[in-house]
Structure formats: structure tokens, C-alpha cells
Tab-separated table of all heavy atoms in Angstrom:
chain	number	residue	atom	x	y	z
A	1	VAL	N	0.852	-1.191	0.000
A	1	VAL	CA	0.000	0.000	0.000
A	1	VAL	C	0.887	1.240	0.000
A	1	VAL	O	2.033	1.213	0.441
A	1	VAL	CB	-0.946	0.019	1.223
A	1	VAL	CG1	-1.954	-1.096	1.141
A	1	VAL	CG2	-0.158	-0.050	2.527
A	2	LYS	N	0.312	2.352	-0.482
A	2	LYS	CA	1.067	3.593	-0.581
A	2	LYS	C	0.105	4.768	-0.486
A	2	LYS	O	-1.013	4.706	-1.015
A	2	LYS	CB	1.830	3.642	-1.904
A	2	LYS	CG	2.537	4.962	-2.162
A	2	LYS	CD	2.987	5.038	-3.605
A	2	LYS	CE	3.378	6.459	-3.941
A	2	LYS	NZ	3.720	6.629	-5.359
A	3	LYS	N	0.545	5.842	0.176
A	3	LYS	CA	-0.268	7.059	0.315
A	3	LYS	C	0.542	8.252	-0.180
A	3	LYS	O	1.672	8.476	0.260
A	3	LYS	CB	-0.668	7.255	1.786
A	3	LYS	CG	-1.548	8.469	2.021
A	3	LYS	CD	-2.019	8.520	3.475
A	3	LYS	CE	-0.851	8.755	4.423
A	3	LYS	NZ	-1.284	8.874	5.819
A	4	THR	N	-0.052	9.022	-1.094
A	4	THR	CA	0.627	10.179	-1.686
A	4	THR	C	-0.353	11.338	-1.796
A	4	THR	O	-1.529	11.145	-2.115
A	4	THR	CB	1.174	9.833	-3.083
A	4	THR	OG1	2.043	8.709	-2.986
A	4	THR	CG2	1.947	11.000	-3.673
A	5	ALA	N	0.122	12.559	-1.528
A	5	ALA	CA	-0.715	13.750	-1.622
A	5	ALA	C	-1.279	13.892	-3.032
A	5	ALA	O	-0.564	13.726	-4.025
A	5	ALA	CB	0.088	14.990	-1.245
A	6	ILE	N	-2.569	14.211	-3.126
A	6	ILE	CA	-3.244	14.305	-4.420
A	6	ILE	C	-2.656	15.405	-5.292
A	6	ILE	O	-2.629	15.310	-6.522
A	6	ILE	CB	-4.766	14.528	-4.210
A	6	ILE	CG1	-5.513	14.560	-5.546
A	6	ILE	CG2	-5.016	15.808	-3.447
A	6	ILE	CD1	-5.481	13.260	-6.290
A	7	ARG	N	-2.117	16.467	-4.658
A	7	ARG	CA	-1.583	17.586	-5.427
A	7	ARG	C	-0.358	17.178	-6.252
A	7	ARG	O	-0.002	17.871	-7.211
A	7	ARG	CB	-1.242	18.750	-4.503
A	7	ARG	CG	-2.463	19.367	-3.832
A	7	ARG	CD	-2.075	20.555	-2.975
A	7	ARG	NE	-1.578	21.660	-3.785
A	7	ARG	CZ	-2.346	22.574	-4.356
A	7	ARG	NH1	-3.662	22.505	-4.206
A	7	ARG	NH2	-1.820	23.552	-5.043
A	8	GLU	N	0.291	16.092	-5.901
A	8	GLU	CA	1.429	15.631	-6.687
A	8	GLU	C	1.000	15.065	-8.039
A	8	GLU	O	1.838	14.806	-8.903
A	8	GLU	CB	2.228	14.585	-5.908
A	8	GLU	CG	2.903	15.138	-4.659
A	8	GLU	CD	4.082	14.286	-4.222
A	8	GLU	OE1	4.691	13.620	-5.091
A	8	GLU	OE2	4.381	14.293	-3.015
A	9	TYR	N	-0.325	14.893	-8.225
A	9	TYR	CA	-0.834	14.357	-9.483
A	9	TYR	C	-1.643	15.412	-10.244
A	9	TYR	O	-2.428	15.086	-11.128
A	9	TYR	CB	-1.715	13.139	-9.220
A	9	TYR	CG	-0.987	12.017	-8.516
A	9	TYR	CD1	-0.976	11.935	-7.128
A	9	TYR	CD2	-0.306	11.046	-9.236
A	9	TYR	CE1	-0.298	10.917	-6.474
A	9	TYR	CE2	0.364	10.024	-8.591
A	9	TYR	CZ	0.367	9.965	-7.216
A	9	TYR	OH	1.033	8.953	-6.574
A	10	ALA	N	-1.440	16.681	-9.904
A	10	ALA	CA	-2.243	17.747	-10.510
A	10	ALA	C	-1.860	18.006	-11.963
A	10	ALA	O	-2.681	18.484	-12.749
A	10	ALA	CB	-2.114	19.038	-9.695
A	11	ASN	N	-0.633	17.722	-12.326
A	11	ASN	CA	-0.171	18.008	-13.688
A	11	ASN	C	0.186	16.711	-14.403
A	11	ASN	O	1.354	16.340	-14.513
A	11	ASN	CB	1.045	18.947	-13.655
A	11	ASN	CG	0.721	20.286	-13.016
A	11	ASN	OD1	-0.294	20.892	-13.331
A	11	ASN	ND2	1.567	20.731	-12.110
A	12	VAL	N	-0.838	16.030	-14.843
A	12	VAL	CA	-0.640	14.767	-15.559
A	12	VAL	C	-0.386	15.071	-17.030
A	12	VAL	O	-1.198	15.716	-17.690
A	12	VAL	CB	-1.859	13.838	-15.408
A	12	VAL	CG1	-1.640	12.535	-16.169
A	12	VAL	CG2	-2.123	13.562	-13.941
A	13	LYS	N	0.741	14.618	-17.544
A	13	LYS	CA	1.092	14.857	-18.935
A	13	LYS	C	0.299	13.948	-19.860
A	13	LYS	O	-0.300	12.973	-19.439
A	13	LYS	CB	2.592	14.618	-19.133
A	13	LYS	CG	3.491	15.494	-18.277
A	13	LYS	CD	4.947	15.145	-18.497
A	13	LYS	CE	5.855	15.984	-17.604
A	13	LYS	NZ	7.278	15.612	-17.769
A	14	LYS	N	0.328	14.309	-21.142
A	14	LYS	CA	-0.362	13.488	-22.134
A	14	LYS	C	0.211	12.080	-22.172
A	14	LYS	O	-0.502	11.105	-22.410
A	14	LYS	CB	-0.224	14.147	-23.509
A	14	LYS	CG	-1.062	13.515	-24.585
A	14	LYS	CD	-2.523	13.893	-24.454
A	14	LYS	CE	-3.339	13.365	-25.621
A	14	LYS	NZ	-4.775	13.660	-25.477
A	15	SER	N	1.515	11.970	-21.917
A	15	SER	CA	2.175	10.669	-21.949
A	15	SER	C	2.074	9.926	-20.631
A	15	SER	O	2.654	8.853	-20.472
A	15	SER	CB	3.653	10.852	-22.320
A	15	SER	OG	4.304	11.695	-21.384
A	16	GLY	N	1.346	10.473	-19.658
A	16	GLY	CA	1.166	9.827	-18.373
A	16	GLY	C	2.167	10.298	-17.329
A	16	GLY	O	3.080	11.085	-17.611
A	17	LEU	N	1.980	9.826	-16.097
A	17	LEU	CA	2.806	10.231	-14.967
A	17	LEU	C	3.030	9.002	-14.080
A	17	LEU	O	2.144	8.166	-13.926
A	17	LEU	CB	2.077	11.323	-14.170
A	17	LEU	CG	2.898	12.189	-13.214
A	17	LEU	CD1	3.859	13.071	-13.990
A	17	LEU	CD2	1.965	13.053	-12.376
A	18	VAL	N	4.216	8.893	-13.493
A	18	VAL	CA	4.507	7.772	-12.596
A	18	VAL	C	3.699	7.927	-11.310
A	18	VAL	O	3.785	8.954	-10.631
A	18	VAL	CB	6.004	7.696	-12.271
A	18	VAL	CG1	6.265	6.612	-11.230
A	18	VAL	CG2	6.810	7.412	-13.531
A	19	ALA	N	2.876	6.935	-10.981
A	19	ALA	CA	2.055	6.987	-9.774
A	19	ALA	C	2.675	6.187	-8.632
A	19	ALA	O	2.545	6.562	-7.471
A	19	ALA	CB	0.645	6.464	-10.072
A	20	ILE	N	3.342	5.070	-8.950
A	20	ILE	CA	3.942	4.215	-7.935
A	20	ILE	C	5.005	3.345	-8.589
A	20	ILE	O	4.867	2.948	-9.755
A	20	ILE	CB	2.868	3.319	-7.253
A	20	ILE	CG1	3.483	2.461	-6.146
A	20	ILE	CG2	2.142	2.479	-8.271
A	20	ILE	CD1	2.447	1.648	-5.366
A	21	ASN	N	6.084	3.082	-7.849
A	21	ASN	CA	7.090	2.133	-8.311
A	21	ASN	C	6.685	0.731	-7.872
A	21	ASN	O	6.355	0.517	-6.703
A	21	ASN	CB	8.469	2.478	-7.743
A	21	ASN	CG	9.217	3.448	-8.636
A	21	ASN	OD1	8.963	3.516	-9.829
A	21	ASN	ND2	10.140	4.201	-8.062
A	22	LEU	N	6.713	-0.214	-8.794
A	22	LEU	CA	6.256	-1.574	-8.507
A	22	LEU	C	7.407	-2.566	-8.537
A	22	LEU	O	8.356	-2.420	-9.313
A	22	LEU	CB	5.198	-1.996	-9.537
A	22	LEU	CG	3.895	-1.205	-9.524
A	22	LEU	CD1	3.038	-1.600	-10.706
A	22	LEU	CD2	3.140	-1.420	-8.222
A	23	ARG	N	7.307	-3.583	-7.691
A	23	ARG	CA	8.265	-4.678	-7.717
A	23	ARG	C	7.923	-5.634	-8.858
A	23	ARG	O	6.860	-5.544	-9.473
A	23	ARG	CB	8.243	-5.428	-6.381
A	23	ARG	CG	8.671	-4.565	-5.203
A	23	ARG	CD	8.516	-5.318	-3.896
A	23	ARG	NE	8.935	-4.511	-2.751
A	23	ARG	CZ	8.796	-4.876	-1.492
A	23	ARG	NH1	8.253	-6.059	-1.212
A	23	ARG	NH2	9.195	-4.082	-0.518
A	24	ASP	N	8.837	-6.546	-9.119
A	24	ASP	CA	8.592	-7.532	-10.175
A	24	ASP	C	7.371	-8.393	-9.821
A	24	ASP	O	7.131	-8.716	-8.661
A	24	ASP	CB	9.813	-8.441	-10.356
A	24	ASP	CG	11.015	-7.682	-10.893
A	24	ASP	OD1	10.798	-6.614	-11.503
A	24	ASP	OD2	12.152	-8.148	-10.698
A	25	ASN	N	6.592	-8.730	-10.849
A	25	ASN	CA	5.412	-9.595	-10.695
A	25	ASN	C	4.339	-8.981	-9.800
A	25	ASN	O	3.559	-9.688	-9.169
A	25	ASN	CB	5.809	-10.975	-10.146
A	25	ASN	CG	6.800	-11.678	-11.045
A	25	ASN	OD1	6.673	-11.628	-12.267
A	25	ASN	ND2	7.799	-12.317	-10.446
A	26	ASP	N	4.301	-7.673	-9.711
A	26	ASP	CA	3.263	-6.978	-8.945
A	26	ASP	C	2.586	-5.958	-9.849
A	26	ASP	O	3.153	-5.532	-10.862
A	26	ASP	CB	3.864	-6.297	-7.716
A	26	ASP	CG	2.791	-5.937	-6.688
A	26	ASP	OD1	1.624	-6.325	-6.899
A	26	ASP	OD2	3.134	-5.269	-5.693
A	27	GLU	N	1.378	-5.564	-9.484
A	27	GLU	CA	0.675	-4.543	-10.251
A	27	GLU	C	-0.279	-3.774	-9.365
A	27	GLU	O	-0.720	-4.265	-8.318
A	27	GLU	CB	-0.077	-5.169	-11.424
A	27	GLU	CG	-1.164	-6.146	-11.029
A	27	GLU	CD	-1.854	-6.745	-12.245
A	27	GLU	OE1	-1.299	-6.683	-13.353
A	27	GLU	OE2	-2.969	-7.267	-12.075
A	28	LEU	N	-0.576	-2.564	-9.772
A	28	LEU	CA	-1.504	-1.696	-9.045
A	28	LEU	C	-2.929	-2.126	-9.350
A	28	LEU	O	-3.296	-2.299	-10.511
A	28	LEU	CB	-1.282	-0.249	-9.469
A	28	LEU	CG	-2.130	0.828	-8.807
A	28	LEU	CD1	-1.802	0.936	-7.322
A	28	LEU	CD2	-1.905	2.174	-9.490
A	29	ILE	N	-3.761	-2.325	-8.299
A	29	ILE	CA	-5.127	-2.810	-8.540
A	29	ILE	C	-6.207	-1.823	-8.124
A	29	ILE	O	-7.318	-1.863	-8.633
A	29	ILE	CB	-5.385	-4.143	-7.807
A	29	ILE	CG1	-5.303	-3.941	-6.289
A	29	ILE	CG2	-4.436	-5.215	-8.287
A	29	ILE	CD1	-6.025	-5.001	-5.512
A	30	GLU	N	-5.924	-0.916	-7.169
A	30	GLU	CA	-6.983	-0.041	-6.685
A	30	GLU	C	-6.406	1.242	-6.109
A	30	GLU	O	-5.289	1.253	-5.586
A	30	GLU	CB	-7.814	-0.766	-5.607
A	30	GLU	CG	-9.065	-0.016	-5.163
A	30	GLU	CD	-10.040	0.209	-6.294
A	30	GLU	OE1	-9.834	1.177	-7.060
A	30	GLU	OE2	-11.009	-0.548	-6.423
A	31	VAL	N	-7.176	2.317	-6.220
A	31	VAL	CA	-6.788	3.622	-5.687
A	31	VAL	C	-8.016	4.250	-5.037
A	31	VAL	O	-9.117	4.167	-5.570
A	31	VAL	CB	-6.248	4.547	-6.795
A	31	VAL	CG1	-5.811	5.882	-6.211
A	31	VAL	CG2	-5.104	3.897	-7.541
A	32	LYS	N	-7.834	4.873	-3.872
A	32	LYS	CA	-8.915	5.564	-3.174
A	32	LYS	C	-8.502	7.003	-2.872
A	32	LYS	O	-7.326	7.304	-2.657
A	32	LYS	CB	-9.256	4.859	-1.856
A	32	LYS	CG	-9.833	3.468	-2.011
A	32	LYS	CD	-11.178	3.500	-2.696
A	32	LYS	CE	-11.772	2.105	-2.809
A	32	LYS	NZ	-13.025	2.100	-3.562
A	33	TYR	N	-9.477	7.870	-2.853
A	33	TYR	CA	-9.289	9.281	-2.508
A	33	TYR	C	-9.577	9.438	-1.010
A	33	TYR	O	-10.684	9.143	-0.567
A	33	TYR	CB	-10.251	10.116	-3.340
A	33	TYR	CG	-10.134	11.606	-3.167
A	33	TYR	CD1	-9.274	12.348	-3.975
A	33	TYR	CD2	-10.912	12.287	-2.236
A	33	TYR	CE1	-9.190	13.712	-3.838
A	33	TYR	CE2	-10.826	13.651	-2.098
A	33	TYR	CZ	-9.967	14.362	-2.904
A	33	TYR	OH	-9.890	15.730	-2.773
A	34	THR	N	-8.595	9.859	-0.202
A	34	THR	CA	-8.742	9.858	1.251
A	34	THR	C	-8.334	11.198	1.860
A	34	THR	O	-7.773	12.067	1.189
A	34	THR	CB	-7.882	8.753	1.886
A	34	THR	OG1	-6.491	9.043	1.635
A	34	THR	CG2	-8.216	7.391	1.304
A	35	ASN	N	-8.612	11.323	3.176
A	35	ASN	CA	-8.288	12.552	3.924
A	35	ASN	C	-7.358	12.269	5.106
A	35	ASN	O	-7.276	13.074	6.033
A	35	ASN	CB	-9.572	13.212	4.417
A	35	ASN	CG	-10.410	12.283	5.277
A	35	ASN	OD1	-10.009	11.155	5.560
A	35	ASN	ND2	-11.577	12.753	5.686
A	36	ASN	N	-6.712	11.109	5.119
A	36	ASN	CA	-5.784	10.699	6.187
A	36	ASN	C	-6.493	10.380	7.495
A	36	ASN	O	-5.869	10.359	8.556
A	36	ASN	CB	-4.708	11.771	6.427
A	36	ASN	CG	-3.436	11.184	7.025
A	36	ASN	OD1	-3.081	10.048	6.758
A	36	ASN	ND2	-2.745	11.971	7.842
A	37	GLU	N	-7.794	10.145	7.453
A	37	GLU	CA	-8.561	9.828	8.658
A	37	GLU	C	-9.350	8.536	8.504
A	37	GLU	O	-10.245	8.256	9.301
A	37	GLU	CB	-9.518	10.976	8.990
A	37	GLU	CG	-8.820	12.303	9.263
A	37	GLU	CD	-9.809	13.433	9.496
A	37	GLU	OE1	-11.028	13.171	9.377
A	37	GLU	OE2	-9.365	14.565	9.776
A	38	GLN	N	-9.034	7.748	7.487
A	38	GLN	CA	-9.842	6.580	7.170
A	38	GLN	C	-9.277	5.295	7.776
A	38	GLN	O	-8.092	5.206	8.109
A	38	GLN	CB	-9.927	6.407	5.649
A	38	GLN	CG	-10.515	7.589	4.911
A	38	GLN	CD	-11.990	7.757	5.186
A	38	GLN	OE1	-12.667	6.809	5.581
A	38	GLN	NE2	-12.506	8.956	4.968
A	39	ASP	N	-10.165	4.299	7.916
A	39	ASP	CA	-9.762	2.919	8.148
A	39	ASP	C	-9.806	2.200	6.813
A	39	ASP	O	-10.811	2.290	6.078
A	39	ASP	CB	-10.700	2.231	9.143
A	39	ASP	CG	-10.391	2.624	10.580
A	39	ASP	OD1	-9.419	3.384	10.787
A	39	ASP	OD2	-11.119	2.173	11.480
């Protein structure tokens, strides 16, 4: 799991933007919008 400030994704280029670094044989499956107060 990983948590990153939403403002770091404010300027998404046409060619895309790196959201997370992944290990081998892993992939990103879900993303949620949070306020740092969630379970």
C-alpha cells in the first residue's frame, strides 16, 4: 500500500505520470481518494 498527496498528481502529462514504483510480478489494482482519517 502507498499514500501520496493528491496535489502531486495535478499536472498529468499526455504521456502519463509515474504513480507508484512496482516490484517484479506486482501490479496496481486499486486507488482511493482519502483525507488521512480513514480505516
Side-chain angles (χ1 to χ4, degrees):
V1 293
K2 174 193 166 185
K3 182 174 66 177
T4 303
I6 183 65
R7 294 182 67 86
E8 294 202 27
Y9 300 91
N11 299 314
V12 179
K13 301 178 182 178
K14 189 76 174 177
S15 59
L17 198 67
V18 174
I20 182 175
N21 271 335
L22 295 172
R23 297 175 179 174
D24 293 338
N25 301 319
D26 197 6
E27 63 181 18
L28 181 66
I29 64 158
E30 188 61 278
V31 182
K32 294 295 182 184
Y33 183 90
T34 64
N35 57 3
N36 205 32
E37 299 176 357
Q38 301 291 338
D39 281 357

